Amino acid sequence: RDIILYASGAHFSQHVASTSEFTNSLFLIPFCAVAEEMLFRWLPFLVFFALLGFASRFVEISNRTRTYGILTVVALTSIIFGYVHGNIFNIFLQGVSGAIFCAFYIRALIKTRAKGRKDKYQLIPLASSSTYHMLANTLLIIL
């Protein structure tokens, strides 16, 4: 993968901290993961569901519309997540992992709501995706 990107002239991951930068601080891994999850998953979904709740006061919103809305948020945030980590090639690297983090977020959100719990601020999904994000970053450093 690296050879193909270098041969095509791509300089990827220039906005991703190197391994030495990560190992210099024990708290950098959790802080970065939580900060990224708040920015790229939590905040967009809070805004999306707030807008959906507001719109539902005036019009009926179908499950299909909700599903397409969620998929749109996942796609947009994953593309932006990948691009912010470098350039267009990072969409295929970090963007895909961003979609996986979204899957953890949405799964926790659905399970929480299915149990009948009220999580207005979506803290359980944030904790779920942040934990997975921390573990993924840690594994990347170790490997």
Side-chain angles (χ1 to χ4, degrees), residues 5-6 9-19 21-22 36 81-91 93-94:
L5 291 174
Y6 281 124
H11 299 287
F12 63 98
S13 296
Q14 56 266 41
H15 299 294
V16 177
S18 68
T19 302
E21 290 171 341
F22 268 123
E36 286 182 350
F81 182 73
Y83 190 76
V84 166
H85 277 84
N87 56 36
I88 195 104
F89 291 104
N90 291 86
I91 293 171
L93 300 172
Q94 282 86 5

Side-chain angles (χ1 to χ4, degrees), residues 84-134:
V84 166
H85 277 84
N87 56 36
I88 195 104
F89 291 104
N90 291 86
I91 293 171
F92 300 109
L93 300 172
Q94 282 86 5
V96 171
S97 65
I100 294 168
F101 300 148
C102 275
F104 273 80
Y105 188 96
I106 292 167
R107 181 177 184 269
L109 183 67
I110 290 170
K111 287 185 85 167
T112 302
R113 289 184 177 176
K115 290 179 182 177
R117 291 188 191 157
K118 299 285 183 185
D119 190 9
K120 182 178 180 180
Y121 298 108
Q122 301 176 20
L123 297 177
I124 294 171
L126 175 63
S128 174
S129 63
S130 294
T131 302
Y132 180 70
H133 195 151
M134 282 186 264

Side-chain angles (χ1 to χ4, degrees), residues 9 30 33 47 49 63 67 73 76 83 91 98 101 107-109 112 141:
V47 170
F49 284 113
N63 284 337
T67 302
V73 172
L76 289 175
Y83 190 76
I91 293 171
F101 300 148
R107 181 177 184 269
L109 183 67
T112 302
I141 291 169

